[in-house]
């Protein structure tokens, strides 16, 4: 039993997914990705260097694709490795470097090094994009080590553009990275890039933002791996490494402040934001309307909204918070001051029961009892 | 004095990893070699070889400042000779193991304080540390790994670094290194792989290192105008205007309520971490009745001051009243409190301090921090 975690029984669908994933993984090659935030950060070198070291340790390593200008240090490594050259194909006046899949299948190495993961293939190819070629290699039991720049992740294109980078024509889906067996970040300060490119100073702010993007993407991939590992061993982590904020709304909540605060915290911590409400029977028409407005606002802000069912308000929230690995719960203060304090209010009961997450109480828009 | 005032502070660069053996020292030495080739006056101020051959080979040709032998409790120790480095006055010094605690008898308790002295003297420093040595992550690391890390570095020291570079390696590759005996000798490696170096620990620590490296990059970005209004458009929060100010428009001010209880250390770390991420002011208060338990409180207060938290002590009989009043006077936007131990069933009518504050400060934001005890 891993410390800091409790037993957790997965549901049948989860189990099935896990078994299938396990079976698939058995026969499949392993995928390792070097992730960088700009060209010249040293991804390719790290990838080929790993190939060199693996060959030294007796693995059957073959180079399947080299990209662009090859630096002398990479050239030196390449001279010691088997290379299956890419095929040059012309289509519509453009030239394409295409992985020689047939030759690689025949050669069937233990490990194949593929640089320039985001390239696309000319129209009419077996696969439109190179990452799909890589999938085929993996399916045939060939392990792949590859390198990619964060600017080529499909789902991050808006972000890359906002930062001031160019949208990449060729890109790979984030899911491909999330499914990788291993990912390794190649990090270096932007100043090192400026030195290496020979004095041409690219915008250091833009580079810093891309760097942050790459680090956070890698953290997400690692988080997925951690969850998969814990799930597949039937254990639920009680305290993850990511902040997960649950905003719990009621008709009388100050939803505006709570949601804005939730978003600000989520962005600052690069965490996750979840909004929930407890379905209560016998809610008046006015309260129903208010709650619906709050939820509408939450959805408009891009949050996922969950309706919780349960006999007991406190129990429903506690169960959901545990299931979602919540680290901070946002709630409104009790709406009415009580004359008698013998019984605990729901909020007091939550405070007493919440051992794994912080509770942040928000004032109501118009505090009563004044 | 006049000379010191003219000295330009050295630059600090931190190679950040998540475990022994990921290659921090190797990367630092690699940089030292490049600098030396470029003609930079660089020395090795402290280097911990751990018997790793590839790393030792990287030191070839570098100038070493000999360590300083010290005897403590009958044993011989070797510490960094800070005075000798100051005397030698290189442009750059490589100082391994930033989080190290010096043996009693040294001028300074911690190596990071020695490094501050070098920086103050205008010497730039390249250093190495693991993410678990960051003060603000101490509780989280304990939860994940079961290890209470004793050698910590206050976050502000790392935040002030000019560069924090992540040294990444996959846990699988790290465990392979352990198996091959690159990191430790065979006995220690076996024990390590069964304990701290289990896959979940490594993966969780690695994620923390990545998130922290991202945080450091973001901290160093000056705010730029941008209109960030929802989650979808702002995966990186760098400098979004919506993030600079809390919804109220006022700068956020966090107040941590300390007691003499041991859990206050966790409360301080948590409050300060939230304050740092929200770029909020952070202060701590203790309200005491008749100065009871002062010693424990003073220990927490000094811990808080070490983390650059402003501290206050207030004498009052009505503790919740004093907390609420002080918070209003200080224009606090968020009160941080630890959970009071719930009252036993036969004593439910006696309200805990937390409940009283919650009831009386209904117009303020209050955060009740979980104790997050480890189970199992």
């Amino acid at each position: 039993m891993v410390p800091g975690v409790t037993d957790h029984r997965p549901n049948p669908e989860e189990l099935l997914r896990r078994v299938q994933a396990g079976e698939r993984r058995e026969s499949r090659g392993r995928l390792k990705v070097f992730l960088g935030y700009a060209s010249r950060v040293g991804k390719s070198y790290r990838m080929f260097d790993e190939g060199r070291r693996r060959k030294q340790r007796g693995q059957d390593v073959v180079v399947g694709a080299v990209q662009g200008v090859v630096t002398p240090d990479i050239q030196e490594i390449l001279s010691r490795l088997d290379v299956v050259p890419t095929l040059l194909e012309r289509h519509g006046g453009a030239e394409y470097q295409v992985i020689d899949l047939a030759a690689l299948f025949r050669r069937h190495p233990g490990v194949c090094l593929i640089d320039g993961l985001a390239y696309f293939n000319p129209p009419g190819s077996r696969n439109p994009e190179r990452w799909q070629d890589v999938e085929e290699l993996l399916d045939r039991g060939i392990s792949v080590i590859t390198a990619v720049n964060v600017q080529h992740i499909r789902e991050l294109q808006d972000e890359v553009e906002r930062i001031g980078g160019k949208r990449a024509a060729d890109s790979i889906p984030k899911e491909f990275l999330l499914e990788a067996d291993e990912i390794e970040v190649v990090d270096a300060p932007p100043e090192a890039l400026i030195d290496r490119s020979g004095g041409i100073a690219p915008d250091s702010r833009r580079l810093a933002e891309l760097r942050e993007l790459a680090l956070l993407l890698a953290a997400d991939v690692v988080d997925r791996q951690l969850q998969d590992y814990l799930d597949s061993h039937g254990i639920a982590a009680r305290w993850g490494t990511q902040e997960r904020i649950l905003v719990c709304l009621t008709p009388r909540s100050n939803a505006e402040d709570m949601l804005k605060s939730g978003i600000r915290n989520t962005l600052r911590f690069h965490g996750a934001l979840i909004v929930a409400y407890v379905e209560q029977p016998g809610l008046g028409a006015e309260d129903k309307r208010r709650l619906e407005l709050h939820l509408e606002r939450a959805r408009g802000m891009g949050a996922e909204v969950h309706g919780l069912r349960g006999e007991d308000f406190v129990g429903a929230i506690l169960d959901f918070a545990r299931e979602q690995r919540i680290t901070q719960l946002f709630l409104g203060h009790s709406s009415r001051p009580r004359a008698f304090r013998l019984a605990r209010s729901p909020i007091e009961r939550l405070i007493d029961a919440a051992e794994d997450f912080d509770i942040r109480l928000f004032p109501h828009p118009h505090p009563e009892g004044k | 004095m006049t000379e010191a005032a003219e000295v330009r502070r050295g630059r600090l660069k931190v190679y950040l990893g998540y475990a022994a053996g990921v290659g921090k020292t190797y990367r630092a030495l690699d940089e030292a070699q490049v600098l030396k080739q470029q003609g930079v006056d660089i020395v090795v101020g402290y280097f911990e070889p751990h018997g790793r051959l590839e790393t030792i080979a990287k030191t070839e040709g570098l100038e070493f400042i000999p360590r300083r032998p010290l005897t403590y409790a009958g044993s011989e120790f070797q510490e960094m000779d800070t005075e000798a480095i100051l005397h030698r006055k290189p442009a750059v010094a490589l100082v391994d193991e930033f989080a190290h605690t010096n043996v009693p008898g040294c001028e300074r308790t911690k190596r990071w304080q020695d490094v501050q002295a070098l920086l103050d003297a205008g010497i730039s420093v390249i250093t190495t540390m693991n993410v678990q040595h960051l003060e603000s992550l101490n509780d989280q690391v304990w939860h994940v790994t079961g290890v209470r890390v004793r050698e910590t570095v206050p976050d502000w020291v790392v935040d002030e670094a000019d560069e924090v570079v992540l040294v990444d390696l996959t846990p699988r590759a790290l465990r392979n290194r352990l198996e091959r005996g690159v990191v430790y000798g065979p006995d220690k490696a076996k024990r390590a792989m069964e304990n701290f170096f289990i896959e979940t620990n490594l993966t969780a620590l690695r994620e923390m290192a990545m998130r922290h490296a991202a945080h450091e990059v973001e901290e160093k970005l000056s705010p730029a105008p941008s209109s960030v209004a929802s989650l979808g458009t702002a995966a990186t929060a760098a400098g979004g205007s919506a993030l600079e100010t809390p919804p109220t428009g006022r700068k956020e001010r966090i107040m941590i309520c300390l007691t003499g209880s041991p859990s206050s250390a966790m409360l301080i770390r948590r409050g300060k971490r939230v304050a740092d991420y929200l770029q909020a002011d952070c202060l701590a208060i203790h309200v005491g009745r008749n100065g009871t338990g002062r010693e424990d409180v003073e220990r927490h207060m000094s811990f808080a001051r070490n983390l650059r938290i402003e501290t206050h002590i207030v004498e009052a009989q009505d503790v919740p009243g004093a907390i609420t009043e002080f918070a209003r006077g200080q224009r606090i936007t968020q009160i941080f409190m630890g959970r009071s131990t719930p009252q036993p069933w036969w004593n439910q009518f006696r309200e805990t301090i937390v409940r009283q504050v919650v009831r009386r400060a209904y117009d303020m934001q209050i955060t009740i921090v979980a104790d997050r005890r480890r189970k199992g």
Side-chain angles (χ1 to χ4, degrees):
Chain A
M1 181 96 175
V2 176
V5 293
T6 50
D7 281 316
H8 168 66
R9 200 177 294 271
N11 65 39
E13 294 99 81
E14 256 181 68
L15 274 176
L16 183 66
R17 187 183 68 82
R18 220 173 275 161
V19 168
Q20 285 170 340
E23 279 170 358
R24 194 159 160 254
R25 208 152 275 175
E26 281 292 287
S27 57
R28 227 170 114 90
R30 289 182 63 87
L31 173 65
K32 179 166 184 174
V33 181
F34 285 94
L35 176 72
Y37 67 91
S39 44
R40 304 182 314 280
V41 80
K43 304 178 293 294
S44 301
Y45 178 78
R46 288 277 291 279
M47 177 186 73
F48 289 118
D49 192 47
E50 169 142 358
R52 176 186 64 80
R53 280 183 284 117
R54 288 202 189 193
K55 190 179 176 192
Q56 272 178 1
R57 295 203 295 270
Q59 295 183 25
D60 180 21
V61 180
V62 157
V63 178
V66 177
Q67 76 160 343
V69 187
V70 175
T71 57
D73 46 355
I74 292 178
Q75 189 55 56
E76 205 272 325
I77 298 175
L78 288 175
S79 67
R80 299 192 225 172
L81 293 172
D82 279 2
V83 180
V84 172
T86 45
L87 306 170
L88 181 67
E89 288 186 19
R90 290 193 176 79
H91 194 279
E95 288 187 347
Y96 297 82
Q97 299 289 339
V98 182
I99 293 176
D100 192 347
L101 275 182
L104 285 170
F105 292 160
R106 276 197 306 277
R107 171 69 176 73
H108 207 282
V111 184
C112 184
L113 308 181
I114 305 281
D115 206 0
L117 180 64
Y119 277 41
F120 42 47
N121 295 329
S125 300
R126 181 186 176 107
N127 295 310
E129 299 176 33
R130 186 175 281 181
W131 66 269
Q132 294 164 317
D133 292 342
V134 169
E135 290 272 18
E136 284 206 53
L137 291 170
L138 294 169
D139 284 343
R140 292 183 186 226
I142 300 169
S143 291
V144 174
I145 309 177
T146 185
V148 72
N149 182 329
V150 71
Q151 298 180 62
H152 290 281
I153 306 304
R154 197 158 292 164
E155 288 80 356
L156 296 179
Q157 291 307 306
D158 287 346
E159 194 63 17
V160 167
E161 197 173 45
R162 186 188 68 79
I163 289 168
K166 267 205 308 259
R167 290 185 88 90
D170 42 356
S171 60
I172 62 161
K174 185 178 172 183
E175 191 58 28
F176 184 76
L177 244 62
L178 288 172
E179 289 291 315
D181 299 280
E182 293 178 82
I183 184 170
E184 200 164 306
V185 174
V186 183
D187 190 33
E191 67 201 40
L193 299 185
I194 295 165
D195 292 347
R196 271 181 223 174
S197 60
I200 310 156
D203 177 6
S204 64
R205 181 183 178 88
R206 184 172 57 84
L207 285 175
E209 293 200 34
L210 287 169
R211 186 180 172 200
E212 190 188 0
L213 202 58
L215 288 165
L216 291 170
L217 173 62
D220 284 349
V221 174
V222 171
D223 194 62
R224 163 86 75 106
Q225 289 171 349
L226 184 60
Q227 284 317 311
D228 281 353
Y229 183 90
L230 294 174
D231 285 352
S232 66
H233 289 72
I235 37 187
R238 292 176 60 246
W239 191 351
T241 61
Q242 192 194 23
E243 289 292 337
R244 296 175 62 84
I245 296 164
L246 174 61
V247 176
C248 190
L249 296 174
T250 62
R252 307 286 165 142
S253 301
N254 187 346
E256 178 80 20
D257 277 6
M258 287 168 71
L259 288 169
K260 274 190 183 163
S261 209
I263 284 190
R264 182 160 181 268
N265 276 266
T266 304
L267 292 174
R268 274 279 172 221
F269 281 101
H270 299 289
L273 178 70
I274 299 165
V275 174
Y277 63 98
V278 179
E279 289 175 5
Q280 289 166 298
L283 220 52
E286 173 60 15
D287 278 348
K288 263 189 192 152
R289 195 188 58 85
R290 280 203 214 183
L291 182 62
E292 205 33 64
L293 275 176
H294 295 341
L295 301 179
E296 212 37 62
R297 182 179 298 258
R299 288 186 198 106
M301 286 171 162
E304 39 170 304
V305 176
H306 296 257
L308 309 182
R309 278 189 202 91
E311 297 289 292
D312 171 38
F313 179 83
V314 173
I317 294 176
L318 280 174
D319 287 348
F320 185 69
R322 282 194 190 118
E323 180 195 311
Q324 294 285 329
R325 295 175 291 121
I326 291 305
T327 60
Q328 299 183 42
L329 172 67
F330 286 14
L331 278 175
H333 273 283
S334 284
S335 50
R336 63 187 91 87
R338 285 159 308 123
F340 304 102
R341 287 179 219 116
L342 280 171
R344 293 179 296 166
S345 72
I347 283 173
E348 288 167 351
R349 280 166 56 212
L350 266 174
I351 291 173
D352 287 348
E355 292 182 340
D356 303 331
F357 52 86
D358 302 340
I359 295 184
R360 184 156 159 194
L361 298 174
F362 284 74
H364 285 268
H366 304 291
E368 294 172 42
K370 242 191 174 170
Chain B
M1 277 313 276
T2 49
E3 198 193 7
E6 285 162 21
V7 171
R8 199 162 147 227
R9 196 173 153 84
R11 285 171 60 84
L12 176 63
K13 182 168 188 173
V14 180
Y15 281 100
L16 179 76
Y18 68 91
V22 294
K24 300 176 297 292
T25 307
Y26 188 87
R27 282 283 296 277
L29 284 166
D30 196 45
E31 179 169 359
Q33 292 287 4
V34 170
L35 289 172
K36 191 183 170 228
Q37 268 177 23
Q38 290 170 354
V40 175
D41 181 21
I42 179 165
V43 303
V44 177
Y46 190 90
F47 165 62
E48 195 54 69
H50 292 294
R52 291 172 202 162
L53 299 178
E54 258 190 88
T55 312
I56 294 167
K58 265 279 169 203
T59 62
E60 205 189 315
L62 294 174
E63 178 185 339
F64 276 68
I65 303 294
R67 296 185 192 180
R68 177 181 163 205
L70 282 155
T71 312
Y72 176 73
S75 300
E76 179 94 345
F77 292 89
Q78 294 199 326
E79 295 289 0
M80 175 163 85
D81 195 340
T82 309
E83 305 317 307
I85 303 170
L86 288 169
H87 187 71
R88 164 67 178 74
K89 209 171 184 334
V92 184
L94 186 151
V95 177
D96 210 1
E97 303 201 334
F98 196 43
H100 172 78
T101 301
N102 292 330
V103 125
C106 292
E107 288 73 14
R108 302 168 198 87
T109 328
K110 300 280 185 179
R111 181 160 298 149
W112 65 262
Q113 293 167 324
D114 286 327
V115 167
Q116 297 286 322
L118 298 178
L119 296 171
D120 287 343
I123 300 169
S124 291
V125 173
I126 301 172
T127 192
T128 63
M129 73 180 281
N130 284 327
V131 73
Q132 51 267 42
H133 294 290
L134 273 172
E135 185 66 57
S136 68
L137 291 175
N138 197 267
D139 301 307
Q140 214 169 328
V141 168
W142 171 59
H143 265 267
V144 171
T145 65
V147 174
R148 186 56 92 177
V149 177
R150 307 232 172 263
E151 301 192 319
T152 57
V153 178
D155 290 52
W156 62 264
V157 177
V158 181
D159 287 345
E160 281 183 3
D162 299 273
E163 270 301 342
V164 176
V165 180
L166 179 75
V167 182
D168 191 29
L169 184 75
T170 66
R172 184 183 158 94
L174 177 58
R175 284 173 61 89
N176 283 343
R177 277 188 187 183
L178 274 164
E179 268 172 9
R180 294 201 305 272
V182 180
V183 181
Y184 295 130
D187 286 354
K188 195 173 175 190
K190 189 166 177 291
R191 262 180 290 129
M193 286 184 69
E194 284 162 7
N195 295 297
F196 190 74
F197 283 73
I198 58 171
E199 192 138 346
T200 44
N201 282 356
L202 295 178
T203 308
L205 290 170
R206 184 175 178 224
E207 188 183 339
M208 285 182 210
M210 287 170 168
R211 293 197 188 280
H212 192 80
H215 173 69
E216 292 293 343
V217 171
E218 186 169 324
E219 284 295 294
K220 283 160 188 53
L221 280 168
S222 56
S226 146
S227 51
V228 175
S230 75
L231 286 173
T233 57
T236 50
S241 61
L243 308 169
E244 299 313 317
T245 47
T248 54
R250 272 191 295 160
K251 187 173 187 199
E252 204 137 2
R253 282 168 66 77
I254 286 176
M255 179 179 97
I256 304 168
C257 301
L258 295 187
T259 64
S261 145
S263 64
S264 279
M266 193 181 278
L267 179 64
I268 293 167
R269 284 190 282 259
R270 181 68 178 162
K272 178 62 175 155
R273 185 171 162 80
V274 172
D276 281 352
Y277 269 77
L278 298 182
Q279 298 181 335
D281 296 335
C282 188
L283 44 156
I285 177 184
H286 171 72
V287 182
R289 299 186 182 111
N290 319 320
T292 44
R294 260 301 151 73
E295 208 173 289
D296 290 338
V297 171
E298 195 35 62
R299 214 159 28 79
H300 288 139
M301 286 287 180
S302 115
F303 174 58
R305 282 190 293 271
N306 262 327
L307 303 184
R308 297 203 167 163
I309 298 169
E310 179 189 318
T311 59
H312 301 264
I313 291 189
V314 174
E315 283 293 334
Q317 287 305 310
D318 173 14
V319 176
I323 289 174
T324 318
E325 196 182 312
F326 187 85
R328 294 215 164 93
Q330 288 279 338
R331 300 178 327 280
I332 294 300
T333 57
Q334 213 186 134
I335 300 176
F336 263 70
M337 306 186 76
R339 262 178 6 136
S340 306
T341 322
Q343 297 288 347
W345 60 268
W346 45 264
N347 205 11
Q348 289 284 331
F349 59 87
R350 228 190 92 199
E351 250 191 329
T352 60
I353 304 262
V354 168
R355 263 198 238 169
Q356 291 180 60
V357 173
V358 166
R359 187 161 48 77
R360 286 157 82 158
Y362 56 85
D363 56 341
M364 300 179 102
Q365 284 185 25
I366 303 173
T367 297
I368 296 110
V369 174
D371 15 9
R372 297 181 167 96
R373 284 196 205 97
R374 283 175 54 84
K375 300 171 199 143

